[in-house]
């Protein structure tokens, strides 16, 4: 596999287990009615046709997008809609971006790294151009006018994420740090099919071994966590989905790398791509970001707390009200379940008195008295 630093954003990367990372452009869509009081549901088919025609005729380069690459989620009940809420949300995927590839021949490229940077700049500029061109357009669907808002998703914007973690860690690294300079090292990936990370003919659930093998492509792994992504469709209950999301079919993967460089290259490659499986027509349009919450650090702290609590004896975890003293043999029988508290008066031969309040009578007190006093009379009140 070629070094990740030299991989342009328009090139497919083949990884382990028959999986490939295929470049694409993703844009988030939000549709508001021009008149807030609209009560008619938006026509999904007409909306898709209007957007597809716009991409074909209104851009500097004609772009053809199949209907399945336009995902629309309509609001189920317009009567419950607030005035500032959209009537639909969705996403646009442009998968055919081969025209952005450099036309230079290999023998004409003197510096491969500079050529990659040139392609990256061209890709980012064209993506921004499409988003700006579509943002704010007015759609007339069956006499009802709608306004379209378009933005690049945060999970596809590597430069925005890089600035976020640089600002976050710059604040953490202020002043003296015993452990040295801190840098991010953990990636969070959501919305990938569980069966693509499972052991064939063994289980449909994701396997730690298979997942580790796949992500080792990007570098040495320190920690790995794989779980079902139960929250994938969270917050979408009020919208009708044209693509069903079934609980348990997708997984969430958290990967901590040994080196910052591997984390950096892996996140950059995962941004702006979809996952495809050899022999499958499905494209997994996952979400990827860096770990802002310290997943493995918090998990380790919780495990240490649990371990320390399990190792502590019961007498330490559930301390009595009495202060801790040296062990001694009690003068009370085993039938006495609670220690009794006494007021003790010690009277000396010369009629001097010394009072002890709220002391437990024990063998250690009696021995001390016998060794220093000629006569001890205990009166219990």
């Amino acid at each position: 596999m070629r070094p990740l630093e030299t991989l342009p954003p328009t090139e497919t990367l083949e990884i382990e287990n028959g999986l490939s990372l295929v470049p694409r452009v993703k844009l988030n869509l939000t549709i508001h009615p021009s008149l807030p009081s609209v009560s008619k549901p938006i026509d999904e088919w007409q909306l898709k046709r209007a957007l597809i025609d716009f991409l074909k005729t209104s851009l500097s380069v004609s772009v053809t997008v199949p209907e399945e690459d336009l995902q629309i989620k309509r609001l189920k009940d317009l009567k419950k809609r607030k005035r500032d809420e959209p009537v639909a949300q969705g996403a646009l995927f442009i998968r055919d971006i081969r025209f952005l590839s450099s036309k230079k021949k290999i023998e004409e490229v003197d510096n491969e790294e500079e050529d990659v940077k040139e392609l990256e700049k061209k890709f980012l500029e064209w993506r921004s151009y499409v988003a700006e061109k579509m943002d704010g357009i007015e759609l007339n669907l069956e006499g009802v006018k709608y306004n379209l808002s378009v933005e690049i998703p945060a999970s596809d914007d590597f430069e925005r994420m890089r600035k976020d973690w640089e600002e976050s860690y710059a604040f953490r690294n202020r002043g003296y740090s015993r452990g040295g300079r801190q840098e991010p090292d953990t990636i969070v990936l959501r919305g990938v099919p569980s069966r693509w990370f499972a052991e064939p003919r063994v289980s449909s659930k994701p396997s730690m071994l298979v997942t580790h093998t796949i992500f080792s492509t990007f570098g040495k792994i320190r920690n790995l966590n794989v779980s079902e992504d139960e929250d994938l469709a969270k917050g979408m209950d009020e919208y009708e989905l044209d693509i069903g999301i079934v609980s348990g079919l997708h997984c969430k993967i958290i990967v901590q790398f040994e080196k910052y460089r591997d984390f950096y290259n892996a996140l950059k490659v995962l941004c702006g791509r979809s996952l495809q499986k050899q022999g499958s027509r499905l494209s997994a349009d996952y979400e990827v970001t860096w770990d802002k919450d310290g997943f493995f650090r918090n998990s380790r702290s919780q495990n240490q707390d649990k371990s320390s609590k399990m190792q502590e004896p019961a007498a330490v975890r559930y301390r009595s009200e009495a202060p801790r003293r040296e062990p001694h043999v009690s003068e009370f029988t085993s039938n006495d379940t609670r220690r009794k508290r006494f007021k003790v008066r010690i009277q000396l031969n010369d009629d001097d008195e010394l009072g002890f309040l709220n002391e437990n009578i024990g063998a250690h007190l009696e021995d001390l008295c016998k060794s220093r006093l000629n006569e001890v009379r205990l009166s219990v009140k």
Side-chain angles (χ1 to χ4, degrees):
M1 187 180 73
R2 66 182 299 174
L4 298 181
E5 295 90 341
T6 63
L7 184 71
T10 56
E11 187 172 317
T12 297
L13 177 67
E14 295 183 359
I15 54 180
E16 297 290 334
N17 211 37
L19 297 175
S20 300
L21 290 168
V22 183
R24 49 100 178 115
V25 170
K26 178 183 177 181
L27 298 174
N28 286 340
L29 312 177
T30 307
I31 299 96
H32 288 86
S34 297
L35 298 176
S37 59
V38 66
S39 58
K40 184 178 180 180
I42 191 168
D43 190 305
E44 180 183 326
W45 182 82
Q46 285 198 2
L47 173 62
K48 286 187 174 184
R49 294 311 311 168
L51 293 176
I52 289 173
D53 291 342
F54 179 88
L55 293 170
K56 280 184 178 180
T57 60
S58 302
L59 300 179
S60 58
V61 178
S62 179
V63 175
T64 301
V65 176
E67 284 192 24
E68 57 266 24
D69 286 338
L70 259 174
Q71 300 176 4
I72 303 298
K73 297 168 283 191
R74 298 185 303 177
L75 193 67
K76 290 181 180 179
D77 192 351
L78 290 178
K79 295 180 180 179
K80 297 181 180 180
R81 171 184 164 269
K82 297 179 182 178
R83 291 176 63 89
D84 58 343
E85 285 184 337
V87 293
Q89 295 179 353
L92 165 67
F93 296 91
I94 304 175
R95 305 189 190 276
D96 187 3
I97 54 176
R98 290 172 294 180
F99 63 91
L100 292 173
S101 300
S102 176
K103 297 180 180 180
K104 293 181 180 180
K105 296 181 181 179
I106 297 177
E107 59 268 21
E108 295 176 352
V109 178
D110 298 327
N111 191 320
E112 188 176 15
E113 185 176 350
E114 290 183 2
D115 189 51
V116 170
K117 289 182 179 180
E118 183 182 339
L119 278 173
E120 287 179 355
K121 182 180 178 182
K122 187 177 181 180
F123 171 82
L124 295 176
E125 288 178 349
W126 187 82
R127 184 179 64 177
S128 297
Y129 159 74
V130 176
E132 292 172 2
K133 193 75 173 176
M134 296 183 67
D135 186 47
I137 65 174
E138 187 177 74
L139 303 170
N140 192 334
L141 307 178
E142 293 185 331
V144 181
K145 294 181 179 180
Y146 300 90
N147 295 322
L148 177 67
S149 298
V150 179
E151 65 175 0
I152 300 169
S155 61
D156 270 30
D157 196 338
F158 176 77
E159 288 302 318
R160 190 196 307 179
M161 285 193 283
R162 183 177 62 82
K163 290 179 181 178
D164 287 345
W165 83 59
E166 285 179 350
E167 291 177 359
S168 175
Y169 278 85
F171 179 78
R172 299 182 194 182
N173 290 323
R174 286 180 182 175
Y176 174 75
S177 178
R178 190 186 309 175
R181 180 177 176 81
Q182 296 182 349
E183 292 178 318
D185 56 9
T186 305
I187 288 174
V188 181
L189 195 72
R190 301 184 57 187
V192 291
S194 298
R195 64 180 183 273
W196 288 1
F197 293 85
E199 295 186 43
R201 297 182 296 276
V202 175
S203 173
S204 60
K205 294 185 177 181
S207 161
M208 289 286 287
L209 179 61
V210 174
T211 306
H212 190 282
T213 302
I214 292 171
F215 281 91
S216 293
T217 304
F218 303 106
K220 191 173 182 180
I221 295 174
R222 177 178 298 171
N223 284 305
L224 179 67
N225 180 272
V226 186
S227 60
E228 291 184 358
D229 197 353
E230 300 290 349
D231 298 330
L232 186 61
K234 192 175 182 179
M236 288 297 160
D237 296 338
E238 297 180 355
Y239 290 89
E240 297 176 355
L241 303 180
D242 59 349
I243 294 182
I245 297 179
V246 182
S247 176
L249 295 185
H250 296 82
C251 62
K252 178 179 179 180
I253 301 172
I254 305 176
V255 188
Q256 183 182 35
F257 291 96
E258 290 278 358
K259 298 179 180 179
Y260 169 77
R261 180 183 177 184
D262 294 334
F263 154 83
Y264 182 97
N265 290 333
L267 184 57
K268 189 173 183 180
V269 169
L270 288 166
C271 277
R273 285 180 168 87
S274 296
L275 195 64
Q276 289 187 352
K277 175 79 170 178
Q278 186 177 5
S280 174
R281 298 180 61 185
L282 175 66
S283 291
D285 299 307
Y286 54 79
E287 293 183 1
V288 64
T289 187
W290 62 284
D291 178 25
K292 305 176 183 66
D293 304 320
F295 175 84
F296 291 109
R297 183 175 64 252
N298 294 336
S299 298
R300 185 163 55 249
S301 299
Q302 292 174 3
N303 291 335
Q304 288 175 353
D305 291 343
K306 291 180 182 179
S307 177
S308 61
K309 289 181 181 179
M310 292 177 64
Q311 292 175 2
E312 283 181 341
V316 176
R317 292 202 303 271
Y318 306 101
R319 295 180 184 271
S320 64
E321 294 180 0
R324 184 174 181 179
R325 303 185 179 280
E326 295 295 328
H328 62 273
V329 179
S330 174
E331 293 182 356
F332 299 97
T333 64
S334 59
N335 294 331
D336 293 326
T337 58
R338 295 181 59 189
R339 286 187 178 274
K340 299 179 180 179
R341 297 184 180 273
F342 301 90
K343 182 178 180 182
V344 179
R345 178 177 296 168
I346 301 176
Q347 186 172 343
L348 307 181
N349 285 341
D350 55 359
D351 294 333
D352 291 333
E353 293 186 359
L354 179 65
F356 294 86
L357 183 62
N358 290 336
E359 290 286 350
N360 291 325
I361 295 179
H364 67 289
L365 178 60
E366 186 176 358
D367 292 342
L368 180 62
C369 294
K370 286 181 179 180
S371 64
R372 297 196 179 186
L373 305 176
N374 296 325
E375 181 182 354
V376 177
R377 293 199 303 271
L378 305 176
S379 81
V380 178
K381 293 185 178 182

